[in-house]
Amino acid sequence: MHSDVMSSSGAGQYYWCLSHHRVETDADKCPAVNRLGPYGSAAEAERALERVEERNAAWDAEDERWNGDQS
């Protein structure tokens, strides 16, 4: 058996803390209400707010198309 094999049960997860504006891990994460994630890497967590903005823009554009608000 290999003792260095990580399980897929949450090991190595990263979060973006909305309170502290930093990447956090399972060892030091803030309450769920204050964080985004989990993400598979620190780099993904660092991009969390950028991804939220991209998705919101896409959803806003879709709402405009749905509502017929485009000029």
Side-chain angles (χ1 to χ4, degrees):
M1 286 191 155
H2 294 283
S3 62
D4 60 337
V5 176
M6 296 176 73
S7 73
S8 61
S9 63
Q13 293 184 329
Y14 299 85
Y15 306 85
W16 181 256
C17 178
L18 298 167
S19 296
H20 298 107
H21 308 283
R22 67 178 183 204
V23 174
E24 297 179 342
T25 65
D26 285 327
D28 69 348
K29 66 186 178 191
C30 284
V33 70
N34 296 327
R35 69 178 190 257
L36 301 174
Y39 299 96
S41 71
E44 285 182 85
E46 286 176 347
R47 287 196 64 231
L49 290 179
E50 183 180 327
R51 293 178 67 199
V52 167
E53 290 174 7
E54 290 169 357
R55 289 178 180 164
N56 284 345
W59 291 336
D60 288 345
E62 181 61 28
D63 286 347
E64 288 177 9
R65 282 191 294 277
W66 178 261
N67 293 326
D69 294 340
Q70 282 190 336
S71 302

